[in-house]
Amino acid sequence: MLADSSDDGGIDVAEFEAFSSRLLGASGAPEDIATLVAESLVLSDMRGHNSHGTRRIPSYVEDSLVGRDDGYGIDPEARPTVESEGPTHALVDGQDGFGHLAGHRAVGLAVEKARENGVAMVSVRDATHLGRIGEWSERAAEQGMLFTAYVYNHGRVVAPPGSAQRRYSTNPVSYGIPTFNALDFPVVLDIATSQVANGKTGEFAGRGDPLPESWTITEDGGSVTDARAFRGGEGALLPLGGLVSGYKGFGLAMIAELLGGITADAPVHGEATSNRGCAAMFVAVDPTIVTTQDVIEERVLALREYIEETDYSGIPTGPVAYGDRALLPGEPEHLRESTCREHGVPLAEADVTMLCDLAVEYGIEDAIPSAFEGTATSED
């Protein structure tokens, strides 16, 4: 049985991707689609964001099987299309398929157009869950591009300042900075505009851990610490900044929703009649149109050294932070992935059991990795 992600051991990356792809095949996804989505989900696990990793496979399969009649399911065979484009812009329609395909297509177009013209904006609409948005920033930055993403969906889990009613989603924003040869990783920030991504509450619920009090709000002004109760609909997430400066997170969320809604020509809250997936605006910029690679590398290194020279005196970094001191955005993910590629991907016990049970349900026990043996529960 694999323990949580603090352990050194785990499942081989290639074996984990193959298993995840087989599970996604149960949704009706063709092999190439299942493989691409599986690679993205395993990458999220490797980079320390299990909330956006393979623990989502059961819900993806379920959403694929219910179809689009209720305005929420996934079409597992759908492939994104380019609805319109010009030299510096494009609009990608996810066709209600796996959002990871739309993300890949949009980033590829943005990088290609920015390389040719210096700057490009690519928007996405009618995509289901776009996965970990930081992946798209990573991919663009690794190809030498400055990148930003503004994303929203029609879920309701976050309360505006002064309210405890669930009114809008976690509306993530993400940014990528290429580092070229200066560092082994790009600088990437990927954050929800709420106190925490909603997927993190699911991760806490799966482990049976309590939520920090500062994450949620109830009608009486209290908080929900029972993660399972929160997942059941009790309380709401606070906007980023919480009770002190939540108007800042709320403002970012509204900007993300309007940027995505306007550029993707997609309905925002107040217009939508169903919980239809995600919309987003991606922007890529070639920084060498205004400076040189050498200058970028020098500035990245100067900033990193400055932060490393800070006096760290044991002040807590937060309940879900990596380590006891500040690292550049994207560095914790790089360190985690490096460890996983060497030692395998650790997974929480509850997630292992959930994935193995899904394999049993769809008759693909033969795909269960040896590292997971003994965790599946038979329905007989």
Side-chain angles (χ1 to χ4, degrees), residues 190-270:
D190 174 20
I191 59 171
T193 54
S194 51
Q195 285 284 71
V196 67
N198 190 36
K200 294 292 184 185
T201 67
E203 193 178 341
F204 273 58
R207 296 197 305 261
D209 292 341
L211 301 177
E213 292 183 359
S214 60
W215 286 3
T216 61
I217 188 71
T218 60
E219 290 183 357
D220 62 2
S223 60
V224 182
T225 57
D226 185 328
R228 293 187 176 95
F230 177 82
R231 299 291 291 184
E234 185 176 334
L237 286 179
L238 283 163
L240 184 63
L243 295 175
V244 176
S245 54
Y247 63 90
K248 294 183 179 181
F250 172 72
L252 277 173
M254 296 301 98
I255 293 298
E257 188 147 337
L258 287 169
L259 286 175
I262 291 169
T263 62
D265 193 21
V268 297
H269 281 90

Side-chain angles (χ1 to χ4, degrees), residues 101 180 335 347-348:
L101 273 73
F180 298 106
L335 294 172
L347 212 62

Side-chain angles (χ1 to χ4, degrees), residues 142-338:
E142 285 166 355
Q143 297 180 73
M145 296 294 158
L146 300 170
F147 185 82
T148 183
Y150 299 90
V151 181
Y152 75 96
N153 66 52
H154 291 291
R156 294 182 178 90
V157 71
V158 185
S163 175
Q165 183 181 4
R166 297 184 176 203
R167 293 295 283 168
Y168 63 97
S169 191
T170 55
N171 292 14
V173 297
S174 183
Y175 307 89
I177 311 292
T179 60
F180 298 106
N181 298 315
L183 300 174
D184 293 332
F185 59 92
V187 174
V188 171
L189 178 68
D190 174 20
I191 59 171
T193 54
S194 51
Q195 285 284 71
V196 67
N198 190 36
K200 294 292 184 185
T201 67
E203 193 178 341
F204 273 58
R207 296 197 305 261
D209 292 341
L211 301 177
E213 292 183 359
S214 60
W215 286 3
T216 61
I217 188 71
T218 60
E219 290 183 357
D220 62 2
S223 60
V224 182
T225 57
D226 185 328
R228 293 187 176 95
F230 177 82
R231 299 291 291 184
E234 185 176 334
L237 286 179
L238 283 163
L240 184 63
L243 295 175
V244 176
S245 54
Y247 63 90
K248 294 183 179 181
F250 172 72
L252 277 173
M254 296 301 98
I255 293 298
E257 188 147 337
L258 287 169
L259 286 175
I262 291 169
T263 62
D265 193 21
V268 297
H269 281 90
E271 292 182 310
T273 57
S274 65
N275 291 333
R276 289 185 69 89
C278 294
M281 181 181 81
F282 293 172
V283 177
V285 178
D286 180 356
T288 63
I289 62 175
V290 292
T291 188
T292 66
Q293 178 176 319
D294 288 343
V295 168
I296 295 169
E297 291 174 352
E298 290 171 3
R299 289 190 170 139
V300 166
L301 287 174
L303 185 59
R304 188 193 200 193
E305 290 171 2
Y306 180 77
I307 296 302
E308 287 180 338
E309 292 169 355
T310 301
D311 179 18
Y312 293 99
S313 54
I315 296 173
T317 54
V320 294
Y322 183 92
D324 59 359
R325 60 185 58 212
L327 301 173
L328 285 183
E331 189 170 6
E333 288 82 357
H334 167 71
L335 294 172
R336 286 180 186 270
E337 182 182 348
S338 298

Side-chain angles (χ1 to χ4, degrees), residues 79-102:
R79 300 175 188 274
T81 58
V82 179
E83 295 298 289
S84 63
E85 68 176 317
T88 60
H89 80 279
L91 173 58
V92 172
D93 191 315
Q95 298 294 325
D96 301 324
F98 285 105
H100 304 76
L101 273 73

